[in-house]
Amino acid sequence: MSSFFTTPASQRKRKRDDANVAPSTKRRNTTKTGAKPLSKTPAKARRDESISSGGSEDEMTRKRVNDAATVSESESDEDDETGTERRLRLAEQYLENIKGGLEEVGFDAEEIDKDLIAERLQEDVAETKGRLYRRIASTLDFPSATETSFRTLCLSTTSIATCAPFAYTVHKDLALIKWELPTPPPPRASNRKTPRKPPCPVRRRPIKLMTIRGDRSKTGDPNYQHHIAPILCVAASDTGKFVATGGADKRLIIWSADKLKPLRVFTQHRDAVTSLAFRRGTNQLYSSSADRTVKVWDDLAYIETLFGHQDEVIDVASLALERCISVGARDRTARLWKVAEQTQLVFRGGGSSEKRRPRNQNGEVAGPKSHGEGSIDRVALIDEESFVTGSDNGSISLWTLHKKKPIFTIPVAHGLDLPMKPEEASAEAEPDARVPERQPRWITALATVPYSDVVLSGSWDGQVRIWRVSEDKKRLESMGVVGKVQGDDGGERKAAVEVQDDQEKTVRGIVNDLSVFERGDRGKDGLCVVAALGTEHRLGRWKKVYGSNRPIVFEVPKIARIAEAEAEAEEAKGGRDGKVSVGKDPQDV
């Protein structure tokens, strides 16, 4: 007897009624009753037949469908692109951009030299990695630098910052001034004749755009948004949006760069704010203070505090990476702060070279006396791996991140002070003839051209000296002085000529700060150096010299630009001579 469980599976299947069952979504050989049987014509033939029979509307519809299919295919290709293919595509696009930029300068795409493109690629890679890659010191004509002074009646200039074409100066009388720097005239060849008609005068002096001044009487007003004590430092962001100032009143104020309107007033520091530095290309700010801390700010907000120094933090500097370097005065250390990694590297100075100096047979030190380092006051970054510091013994030291001690030191870089007179050294009516030894001039200002071999320094001899980093990056070489040196006879001498201390006559003042930027694309039009001068040191009144409180602008031209001007003058002279000879040809008479 058969049952449901003993019946084979093929016979247990229920038969479907084709008339009452909906068509399946799967393709089967069976067709619905009354439906049109499938054609055995190939798909390509059917598509060709439909194309030939379709109207204009069908053609437009198919065209839109085909375009959408093409876009979807391209998107799917981009999605399927591997990392190697993407890097190759971006590299080819980058090379095309470089070629396009060179074509705009005046090169033909077919005549572009591969070495030029390779050099540009190497520069971009070196700048990204933060390494020194430009040797521009030998291409600048420092002896031909022109000098222009600011017109201001303020007290000593304590600091200066530039964001071309503007400059910002702060003074001890609580003044913040915004200036517009002049554009230097094109270089003129030395052998060019004076034209009959004088050229249009070129503006040489900076223009004062606006001035805002604090008020000491507002000391007890917490809502007063300005300084109530001397302003010690100023910094301007590369983006051109913000200007920051710090003073002896423990205040850090952020201003709008266009109108000098106060945006935020920070009072987190517990002592005077001594130095400020914006991170290159961003609005991230680093501030150092006499409270032995370095604070980090970003987008008008406080981020964090960096601890480690054992004395006042006098100076701070930064470049493109998220790190800064600071010097701690009499703790005689320089500290590199890696903000993202929350680590620091400590570099220790203060070593005297008496033990390493050569001695004679009696054991006495041969040569001039060495001066011990008591305080490191200035720091400037050459690139992300090397920096320079200036000390109170007049020495400039070159450092690298791979060593904890300086790899090279220039002692007494700005010479010694003039000897004191007996009546100045003693209060007696009949002073003794013995006077103290001559002391070295401090390094009061340091600046560099980022990622290049140019280093500038200043002291109270009123001169800005130039130093060049050697090819092996292990030494600093002297290149003279920027501007002109005043002699005892009142005459002017070229800056690159070294002069002896006994023959110098200091007339300018103390160089409290330096700011430098390049003119044109990658410095093709020269270098602009702005020096903040004062009769007093920026941090106190213990050192006063005879000089001026007006900042000075130096325009350093390129040697190549001068050569081009001389070549143009020769061509113009040759053209004029040719015209005269044609006019006096006897055959034409």
Side-chain angles (χ1 to χ4, degrees):
M1 182 177 180
S2 63
S3 66
F4 178 80
F5 299 100
T6 58
T7 306
S10 58
Q11 298 180 9
R12 287 202 308 267
K13 261 189 169 183
R14 295 181 181 178
K15 294 184 179 181
R16 296 182 180 181
D17 188 3
D18 294 342
N20 299 327
V21 178
S24 174
T25 56
K26 296 182 180 180
R27 293 185 178 179
R28 301 176 182 272
N29 293 331
T30 59
T31 61
K32 187 177 178 181
T33 305
K36 195 174 183 178
L38 294 176
S39 176
K40 295 183 180 181
T41 309
K44 184 175 180 180
R46 290 199 306 271
R47 185 168 59 254
D48 295 341
E49 182 179 0
S50 63
I51 291 174
S52 61
S53 61
S56 60
E57 295 182 358
D58 296 338
E59 292 179 359
M60 294 177 63
T61 304
R62 283 191 296 272
K63 185 177 180 181
R64 287 195 297 268
V65 172
N66 293 335
D67 293 341
T70 304
V71 172
S72 62
E73 289 178 2
S74 61
E75 292 178 353
S76 62
D77 292 342
E78 291 181 0
D79 296 338
D80 297 339
E81 186 180 22
T82 62
T84 305
E85 294 174 349
R86 182 174 181 273
R87 287 192 294 269
L88 180 60
R89 178 173 57 83
L90 293 177
E92 293 175 352
Q93 184 179 358
Y94 178 73
L95 290 176
E96 292 297 331
N97 294 337
I98 293 180
K99 291 181 180 179
L102 294 176
E103 289 175 0
E104 292 178 0
V105 176
F107 292 92
D108 188 4
E110 298 178 356
E111 298 177 357
I112 293 178
D113 190 2
K114 293 183 179 180
D115 295 337
L116 186 60
I117 298 178
E119 181 181 358
R120 179 70 175 272
L121 289 172
Q122 292 175 359
E123 290 182 359
D124 291 342
V125 171
E127 184 174 3
T128 303
K129 293 184 178 181
R131 299 174 181 174
L132 186 148
Y133 66 93
R134 290 190 301 162
R135 300 286 176 179
I136 63 174
S138 58
T139 64
L140 295 170
D141 191 7
F142 293 106
S144 300
T146 59
E147 173 186 336
T148 305
S149 63
F150 290 63
R151 286 185 176 179
T152 178
L153 298 177
C154 297
L155 297 182
S156 295
T157 307
T158 56
S159 183
I160 193 166
T162 56
C163 180
F166 303 108
Y168 305 88
T169 60
V170 290
H171 306 263
K172 282 195 173 183
D173 54 358
L174 287 69
L176 169 61
I177 306 178
K178 180 180 180 180
W179 307 81
E180 182 180 357
L181 298 176
T183 302
R188 182 178 177 182
S190 58
N191 56 355
R192 179 178 294 183
K193 295 182 179 180
T194 304
R196 296 179 181 178
K197 184 179 179 181
C200 297
V202 180
R203 179 174 62 86
R204 296 183 179 274
R205 288 189 181 275
I207 298 177
K208 183 187 294 186
L209 299 180
M210 59 186 67
T211 303
I212 54 176
R213 198 181 301 270
D215 190 355
R216 296 177 185 268
S217 63
K218 301 290 185 178
T219 303
D221 188 0
N223 299 323
Y224 184 62
Q225 294 188 331
H226 207 298
H227 289 282
I228 54 178
I231 308 175
L232 303 180
C233 53
V234 63
S237 63
D238 291 344
T239 60
K241 295 177 60 178
F242 304 115
V243 175
T245 58
D249 54 0
K250 311 176 187 178
R251 292 189 176 189
L252 169 60
I253 304 180
I254 308 296
W255 313 78
S256 62
D258 52 350
K259 300 295 182 181
L260 290 186
K261 179 181 178 181
L263 302 177
R264 290 291 301 273
V265 178
F266 297 103
T267 58
Q268 277 84 347
H269 280 293
R270 295 180 295 174
D271 208 333
V273 181
T274 55
S275 182
L276 297 168
F278 274 99
R279 181 184 168 193
R280 187 181 176 92
T282 67
N283 294 322
Q284 189 172 7
L285 177 66
Y286 303 98
S287 64
S288 64
S289 172
D291 61 2
R292 301 182 295 180
T293 64
V294 176
K295 293 186 183 296
V296 185
W297 318 80
D298 197 0
D299 291 334
L300 304 180
Y302 165 75
I303 303 299
E304 63 176 322
T305 303
L306 308 176
F307 297 94
H309 281 290
Q310 303 302 315
D311 197 20
E312 301 178 354
V313 185
I314 300 298
D315 199 9
V316 65
S318 176
L319 284 181
L321 296 183
E322 194 174 358
R323 59 176 61 174
C324 66
I325 189 166
S326 59
V327 288
R330 295 197 175 277
D331 70 356
R332 292 174 292 186
T333 63
R335 295 176 184 261
L336 180 71
W337 308 90
K338 298 181 180 180
V339 179
E341 294 87 351
Q342 296 184 351
T343 59
Q344 59 174 300
L345 299 177
V346 183
F347 305 89
R348 301 192 179 277
S352 177
S353 57
E354 288 286 345
K355 298 180 180 179
R356 301 180 183 179
R357 303 195 51 198
R359 298 176 180 270
N360 54 21
Q361 297 179 354
N362 299 329
E364 299 177 353
V365 178
K369 181 181 178 181
S370 175
H371 301 271
E373 187 178 41
S375 173
I376 302 179
D377 299 329
R378 283 298 190 175
V379 64
L381 282 165
I382 298 176
D383 54 25
E384 303 293 354
E385 296 183 354
S386 58
F387 61 96
V388 289
T389 58
S391 307
D392 62 347
N393 64 343
S395 62
I396 299 177
S397 301
L398 176 64
W399 305 71
T400 180
L401 301 187
H402 308 295
K403 292 188 177 181
K404 300 301 181 182
K405 289 289 184 178
I407 60 175
F408 185 78
T409 300
I410 300 176
V412 196
H414 282 258
L416 301 173
D417 271 333
L418 297 178
M420 298 179 63
K421 297 179 181 180
E423 53 270 17
E424 295 177 351
S426 176
E428 299 291 336
E430 296 180 359
D432 191 359
R434 297 177 58 185
V435 296
E437 296 181 356
R438 300 174 62 185
Q439 297 298 316
R441 298 187 178 103
W442 300 359
I443 304 300
T444 57
L446 270 181
T448 61
V449 179
Y451 309 112
S452 73
D453 59 342
V454 177
V455 179
L456 302 96
S457 64
S459 184
W460 58 67
D461 58 351
Q463 299 175 3
V464 179
R465 296 185 183 270
I466 306 298
W467 313 92
R468 177 177 60 188
V469 181
S470 62
E471 293 288 341
D472 56 0
K473 303 179 184 180
K474 295 182 179 180
R475 299 187 313 277
L476 292 176
E477 303 170 353
S478 176
M479 295 194 66
V481 183
V482 181
K484 296 179 180 179
V485 178
Q486 299 287 341
D488 289 337
D489 54 354
E492 294 180 346
R493 294 192 293 270
K494 288 294 185 181
V497 180
E498 293 289 346
V499 294
Q500 300 296 327
D501 290 340
D502 296 338
Q503 299 178 356
E504 281 184 295
K505 184 178 181 181
T506 305
V507 296
R508 290 181 179 170
I510 302 177
V511 182
N512 282 321
D513 198 7
L514 289 170
S515 183
V516 58
F517 64 92
E518 294 180 281
R519 296 280 192 182
D521 183 21
R522 294 179 179 263
K524 66 177 181 180
D525 295 333
L527 197 69
C528 180
V529 181
V530 189
L533 300 183
T535 57
E536 298 176 353
H537 193 275
R538 72 184 187 100
L539 297 179
R541 304 185 65 181
W542 56 81
K543 184 66 180 179
K544 298 183 68 175
V545 299
Y546 174 77
S548 173
N549 292 324
R550 299 179 177 182
I552 291 181
V553 181
F554 297 99
E555 295 290 349
V556 183
K558 277 271 192 176
I559 297 178
R561 296 279 293 176
I562 298 177
E564 292 176 1
E566 292 180 354
E568 292 177 0
E570 290 293 337
E571 292 179 0
K573 183 179 179 181
R576 289 195 301 270
D577 295 342
K579 291 181 181 179
V580 172
S581 62
V582 171
K584 293 185 178 181
D585 194 347
Q587 296 180 0
D588 297 335
V589 178

